[in-house]
Amino acid sequence: YQRRVRECLSLMTSRKGGVRKGPQAHQNSFAYRHNPKSKKTEIILSLPNEGLCNHCYQQIEWRKKYRKYKPLTTKKRCIKCNQKAINRAYHTVCQECAKNLKICAKCQEAKDIVKNFKDPLEIDDEKELEEKLKNLRVREQKTLLRKISKEEQAKKRR
């Protein structure tokens, strides 16, 4: 009886789901490929990935690549200024706070930022402007276009 108890104790493990160790049972033969022509994929891939440290940048790029990225539907509240100003998924700090404090917008650590936030008014290239406008709501698009036209008129007057 004692021998059976010792055998049972030696077989017990802290691992959940049994004792089996080793490589996974079913190895994938090819990498995951999402539907590249879907509208949702196109929108997700066109979203900018700015104001992040290298680690967070890589995490979000992986989510986009394997279709795990879920865009925000409404604005999120910034944990620094407590304003509803975050319009990018997985960010916890708004653009203004991240710029001012020089921190990553996701993990809030003062690491080197891979891509800094671009100001919509500083866009020079027409293609960049069109891509930026695609991601904005109609109301925000019109506001941005008004600001740009006002700046151009002010430059012409000088």
Side-chain angles (χ1 to χ4, degrees):
Y1 174 76
Q2 288 179 347
R3 194 174 85 211
R4 286 182 73 201
V5 170
R6 266 190 256 127
E7 285 177 11
C8 288
L9 289 175
S10 67
L11 291 175
M12 291 177 76
T13 179
S14 60
R15 291 184 67 162
K16 286 189 174 182
V19 186
R20 181 172 137 44
K21 290 185 182 179
Q24 64 191 55
H26 303 287
Q27 183 72 40
N28 292 339
S29 57
F30 59 91
Y32 171 77
R33 281 177 281 164
H34 52 77
N35 180 5
K37 293 180 181 162
S38 77
K39 289 182 181 178
K40 189 171 186 179
T41 300
E42 194 175 303
I43 290 168
I44 288 172
L45 293 176
S46 69
L47 291 172
N49 197 2
E50 302 167 335
L52 302 167
C53 64
N54 188 41
H55 183 254
C56 297
Y57 179 84
Q58 295 298 329
Q59 281 182 337
I60 292 180
E61 286 300 313
W62 181 89
R63 284 180 175 274
K64 286 181 177 182
K65 183 178 177 183
Y66 291 104
R67 192 68 188 270
K68 301 289 182 187
Y69 187 91
K70 188 177 179 215
L72 285 180
T73 54
T74 58
K75 289 191 175 188
K76 233 168 84 174
R77 195 172 294 277
C78 173
I79 63 169
K80 298 289 182 185
C81 65
N82 217 16
Q83 299 290 319
K84 280 203 170 184
I86 301 172
N87 52 9
R88 295 181 185 175
Y90 310 105
H91 289 218
T92 55
V93 181
C94 66
Q95 287 184 18
E96 294 300 316
C97 293
K99 276 184 189 175
N100 295 340
L101 300 170
K102 295 178 182 165
I103 57 174
C104 173
K106 184 175 182 271
C107 67
Q108 305 146 39
E109 292 183 18
K111 296 179 180 175
D112 291 335
I113 305 302
V114 176
K115 281 187 174 180
N116 287 320
F117 289 108
K118 288 184 181 177
D119 189 32
L121 300 176
E122 294 175 4
I123 296 172
D124 298 329
D125 193 20
E126 281 293 319
K127 281 188 175 180
E128 281 186 46
L129 179 64
E130 287 177 23
E131 287 178 25
K132 198 78 163 175
L133 289 174
K134 281 182 187 176
N135 298 331
L136 298 174
R137 289 187 232 142
V138 175
R139 183 173 150 208
E140 292 169 340
Q141 287 177 2
K142 289 182 179 179
T143 305
L144 180 62
L145 291 172
R146 262 195 319 272
K147 284 182 181 179
I148 292 170
S149 65
K150 281 183 183 178
E151 284 187 355
E152 288 175 358
Q153 289 175 357
K155 285 180 182 177
K156 286 180 183 177
R157 289 180 188 164
R158 292 179 189 167

